[in-house]
Amino acid sequence: MSTARDAAEDAMPSSTTVPTRRGLVSGPSSSDAHGDMPAVSVIMNCLNCERDLAEAIGSVFAQTFDDWEIVFWDNGSTDRSAEIAQGFGERVRYFRATETVPLGAARNLAIAKARGEFIAFLDCDDVWLPEKLERQVALFRANPRVGLVCTDTVMFTGAKDLNRLFEHAHPARGHVFRELMTTQWISMSSAVIRRNALDGMDHWFDESLNVCEEADVFYRIAWDWELDHVDAPLTRWRVHGANTTFRKFGQFAEETLRILDKHRAMYPGYDERYADLVALLRRRAAFQRAVALWREGRGAEARATIAPFDASPKFRLFRLATYLPGALFDPLARLYFALPAFLRR
């Protein structure tokens, strides 16, 4: 989703799955804080994000809710990112890592520096609308059982809006683990998490995952907490050719099954209670694996991979697509993400 991910994703992931505190950094520590603790800590992870960074940070400064800090984690940038971030003044708490690590690990390091009651995430090429934090914090204040609040998100490229995540199906509210596993509606830059929800976990971002670590956190919060959302497009997700969703699709298959195995180990009786989700995730992983094969020009193998699931409308459409050159994947993938939710399951 983010420039930070796109630059960091090929770093070797750690084998540990606990929130680490590794690596010396430059910048103030939590103990150096002055004044009152902010209500919201905005986590920004950066690796060579100079192109869109000023717009992203500026959208935080434009918020109607003013009780926030930015925890800016520089994952070893060699462009003007540090200069741009530090140019916004002391409300941007700047930290620089001594080594570049995968994005999940970098998010954990930044969270460890956060002081807020709520943890928000803003990728450095995305943008917030001014009322975003105000409306999300209001939902947290209204219901102490809510662990995560997101907003509708507009996907855009340049000056052109592509589609909205909530356009075809509005997400559920409350205890919605099953619904979220069925259709993941949370964009990273829209998410705000109650700090207590994170601290109640035995690990934050799973550093053994490299493309699904965000969804993994959302799923585990949904298991224990209620979820809510602002039904307004207050987050803008910049889509470009380097987005991980389109460049690293093959990794999703493996990590989808790893998350399934993880849930089955964590939650007793999962197979019986959520047999539908077990089947769904296996079907989803087959589709993701087939896409990766098709991109490699292995259309026959892709069709064989999805053959057991051919009754699904999505799989019938994809089977037809595999007769086309794999180079068409990117435009067809964008079409896929614009489809109604029932076709994406």
Side-chain angles (χ1 to χ4, degrees), residues 154-164 167 236-240 246 334 338:
V154 173
M155 300 172 67
F156 76 104
T157 177
K160 180 181 179 182
D161 291 352
L162 302 176
N163 65 290
R164 291 189 293 108
E167 185 172 1
R236 293 180 61 78
W237 169 9
R238 194 185 308 269
V239 176
H240 46 77
F246 305 120
R334 287 175 172 81

Side-chain angles (χ1 to χ4, degrees), residues 2-175:
S2 68
T3 302
R5 174 193 295 284
D6 299 330
E9 64 190 354
D10 293 323
M12 290 297 293
S14 167
S15 60
T16 184
T17 60
V18 299
T20 62
R21 307 289 190 270
R22 72 174 167 226
L24 298 176
V25 299
S26 60
S29 68
S30 297
S31 61
D32 296 328
H34 56 83
D36 295 334
M37 297 298 100
V40 179
S41 293
V42 181
I43 304 297
M44 298 189 71
N45 289 95
C46 176
L47 180 53
N48 295 328
C49 304
E50 66 176 9
R51 188 188 67 181
D52 304 307
L53 183 55
E55 183 181 7
I57 296 177
S59 74
V60 181
F61 277 79
Q63 291 296 297
T64 56
F65 182 87
D66 196 45
D67 190 7
W68 52 261
E69 65 174 358
I70 293 177
V71 177
F72 191 92
W73 190 273
D74 188 336
N75 205 12
S77 297
T78 57
D79 64 0
R80 294 181 55 250
S81 293
E83 175 188 344
I84 294 169
Q86 291 175 311
F88 279 87
E90 64 180 11
R91 296 196 71 182
V92 177
R93 299 175 61 217
Y94 176 87
F95 302 88
R96 183 177 178 86
T98 57
E99 61 174 335
T100 300
V101 298
L103 184 54
R107 293 201 199 278
N108 286 335
L109 291 165
I111 292 170
K113 297 294 185 182
R115 304 174 299 181
E117 179 184 1
F118 307 106
I119 309 296
F121 297 89
L122 177 60
D123 288 339
C124 292
D125 48 0
D126 296 340
V127 179
W128 288 348
L129 272 64
E131 295 183 358
K132 178 183 182 291
L133 289 183
E134 179 180 1
R135 295 183 65 175
Q136 289 178 288
V137 170
L139 292 175
F140 281 114
R141 300 294 191 210
N143 185 356
R145 298 180 300 278
V146 167
L148 183 151
V149 177
C150 65
T151 77
D152 197 355
T153 300
V154 173
M155 300 172 67
F156 76 104
T157 177
K160 180 181 179 182
D161 291 352
L162 302 176
N163 65 290
R164 291 189 293 108
L165 292 187
F166 296 1
E167 185 172 1
H168 300 292
H170 294 287
R173 290 185 165 94
H175 291 289

